[in-house]
Amino acid sequence: MKALCWAGVDELSLETVPDPRLLNAHDAIVKVRFSAVCGSDLHVLGGYLPTMRPGDVLGHEFMGEVVEVGSAVSRRRVGDRVVVCSFISCGHCWFCQNQLFSLCDNSNPNPAVSESLWGQAPSGCYGYSHALGGFAGSHADYIRVPYADQGMFPIPDEVDDLTALFASDAAPTGWMGADLGGVRPGDVVAVWGAGAVGQLAAQAATLLGAAEVIVIDGLAERLDQAGAQPGAQLIDFRTSDVSAELRERTGGRGPDVCIEAVGMVSGGPSPLYGYDQFKQQRRLGTDRPLAVREAIFNCRKGGSVFVLGVFGGVVDKFPLGAIMNKGLTLRSAQQHGHRYIPMLLQRMARGELQTRHLATHVMPLAKAVNGYDLFKNRKDGCVRAVFEPDR
């Protein structure tokens, strides 16, 4: 089959690779209909998660059709149209039983790698380095799905394929930021980043009752999309003082909940951007936490900051004093999608949650290298490149 493979730092290759096969009675094989590029795929591509190997298949956000199931799969069958959670969970360990699915103890077959980095291992994730299991990704004709009964979700007839695609990763990630960030009716919520995850965090905050949702970015096409959502206000960091704007719009108090949806390659006009970039390029630091610092600095006293963006290692100039002295609550996680996806699909079916517009560039898998270039370099207004293997 055809697959888009990691060939080295910032190098991609469309290759012919062996078809996946069932390795366990709980496995399924899914024929991929759509697979999207996520911002965190760029971290893998750029070598910021240094456990990739040439030939690894990329991609973790996908939906498709079940074409084969193992003998122990009982809840899904061949022919089902499904969306698959990007993180893999067994459904039985202590963490899964407590709905902390991306912290599953059993789905990452290479825990020693991430234990050495982070103390403990998170769950496995498709196409996302050997630190998170070394599973083949979804930028391919077919993909193997472990723990199929746990990770595959049937798509309601009312939801089209492109809409459902984002229930795999972006929608549950954004929803989790608003939910675990503690958004309550009447809150003012600020979201850093107007990519797919940021836009969906903003939609979630609105649906959870926030009085105001303010989205911060520097890309016009993404701000335009975010601004089309009911109730969303915008700050363009290229032309505005973010801190001054947030103080003015909140009566000087600051947002109640701040959600960071940018990640380790964040940038902006701050002098610290050059400092972060210098250290990252020379491997003196691993991440550029500019948006995290801003979220912590601008959050109101006693407020909550949720970090949705992906980070890999260590940073400095981290405002620990602000967290302590302002009494902030700081939370973060990879998405616990299994607790949200059924609800999100129902909201999509009722038209409450909008995702289809995020797929700005849909193309054949054969053009995936070009799709990554469009997405990475923000060309042609690309918000998400989406690959369709059958096209």
Side-chain angles (χ1 to χ4, degrees), residues 68-121:
E68 188 177 1
V69 295
S71 59
V73 176
S74 60
R75 298 170 58 192
R76 304 290 169 256
R77 58 186 180 183
V78 172
D80 282 357
R81 190 171 65 109
V82 295
V83 65
V84 180
C85 185
S86 60
F87 278 82
I88 303 166
S89 80
C90 72
H92 299 288
C93 70
W94 186 92
F95 293 97
C96 289
Q97 291 296 304
N98 284 276
Q99 296 199 315
L100 301 170
F101 298 104
S102 66
L103 305 177
C104 174
D105 251 348
N106 294 321
S107 65
N108 185 346
N110 302 321
V113 176
S114 41
E115 285 172 356
S116 67
L117 291 171
W118 304 318
Q120 293 178 307

Side-chain angles (χ1 to χ4, degrees), residues 4 11-14 37 42 45 139 361-380 382 384-387:
L4 184 72
E11 293 183 20
L12 292 168
S13 176
L14 189 68
V37 182
L42 300 182
L45 174 62
H139 296 337
H361 292 69
V362 182
M363 62 191 70
L365 179 62
K367 294 186 176 180
V369 174
N370 182 52
Y372 262 80
D373 178 53
L374 291 171
F375 181 67
K376 177 183 177 181
N377 296 301
R378 313 295 195 255
K379 295 179 179 176
D380 193 31
C382 184
R384 280 294 177 95
V386 174
F387 309 133

Side-chain angles (χ1 to χ4, degrees), residues 22-28 69-73 92 145-149:
L22 302 177
L23 300 179
N24 184 288
H26 295 275
D27 289 353
V69 295
S71 59
V73 176
H92 299 288
V145 176
Y147 303 108
D149 275 340

Side-chain angles (χ1 to χ4, degrees), residues 75-370:
R75 298 170 58 192
R76 304 290 169 256
R77 58 186 180 183
V78 172
D80 282 357
R81 190 171 65 109
V82 295
V83 65
V84 180
C85 185
S86 60
F87 278 82
I88 303 166
S89 80
C90 72
H92 299 288
C93 70
W94 186 92
F95 293 97
C96 289
Q97 291 296 304
N98 284 276
Q99 296 199 315
L100 301 170
F101 298 104
S102 66
L103 305 177
C104 174
D105 251 348
N106 294 321
S107 65
N108 185 346
N110 302 321
V113 176
S114 41
E115 285 172 356
S116 67
L117 291 171
W118 304 318
Q120 293 178 307
S123 75
C125 179
Y126 300 99
Y128 208 70
S129 86
H130 290 267
L132 272 70
F135 293 94
S138 60
H139 296 337
D141 291 317
Y142 297 92
I143 185 169
R144 169 183 167 248
V145 176
Y147 303 108
D149 275 340
Q150 172 73 2
M152 301 197 305
F153 298 87
I155 300 171
D157 292 341
E158 301 88 340
V159 181
D160 64 77
D161 288 356
L162 269 181
T163 298
L165 167 64
F166 296 101
S168 169
D169 188 87
T173 302
W175 194 277
M176 182 184 70
D179 179 29
L180 300 189
V183 173
R184 297 180 297 182
D187 277 351
V188 177
V189 179
V191 180
W192 274 258
V197 171
Q199 289 189 41
L200 289 163
Q203 286 194 50
T206 300
L207 290 166
L208 290 171
E212 294 183 60
V213 178
I214 304 167
V215 180
I216 302 150
D217 204 303
L219 293 171
E221 60 274 7
R222 298 183 181 210
L223 288 169
D224 288 345
Q225 284 193 342
Q229 297 167 13
Q233 302 179 38
L234 308 175
I235 295 178
D236 186 337
F237 66 67
R238 297 168 304 174
T239 57
S240 300
D241 181 325
V242 174
S243 296
E245 285 284 335
L246 289 174
R247 285 196 298 271
E248 182 173 341
R249 299 184 192 196
T250 58
R253 192 173 68 235
D256 302 292
V257 177
C258 293
I259 299 172
E260 188 274 350
V262 182
M264 67 171 71
V265 292
S266 65
S270 168
L272 282 176
Y273 170 67
Y275 174 85
D276 290 337
Q277 190 177 41
F278 175 85
K279 295 197 70 172
Q280 191 180 50
Q281 290 176 344
R282 284 156 180 77
R283 305 301 182 192
L284 299 172
T286 58
D287 305 85
R288 305 201 299 256
L290 191 63
V292 176
R293 294 192 193 102
E294 281 197 357
I296 292 170
F297 184 80
N298 288 291
C299 191
R300 73 156 167 81
K301 293 181 285 186
S304 172
V305 175
F306 199 96
V307 179
L308 279 180
V310 172
F311 292 89
V314 296
V315 299
D316 63 6
K317 300 289 187 291
F318 184 76
L320 183 60
I323 295 172
M324 185 271 163
N325 286 290
K326 290 170 66 179
L328 300 181
T329 298
L330 177 65
R331 298 191 72 175
S332 187
Q334 296 280 12
Q335 60 125 336
H336 303 307
H338 303 72
R339 73 161 83 172
Y340 299 116
I341 291 174
M343 175 272 293
L344 294 171
L345 288 169
Q346 290 303 313
R347 287 184 180 272
M348 290 174 179
R350 295 194 296 268
E352 298 173 2
L353 191 69
Q354 307 299 320
T355 60
R356 201 175 195 281
H357 66 286
L358 301 167
T360 53
H361 292 69
V362 182
M363 62 191 70
L365 179 62
K367 294 186 176 180
V369 174
N370 182 52

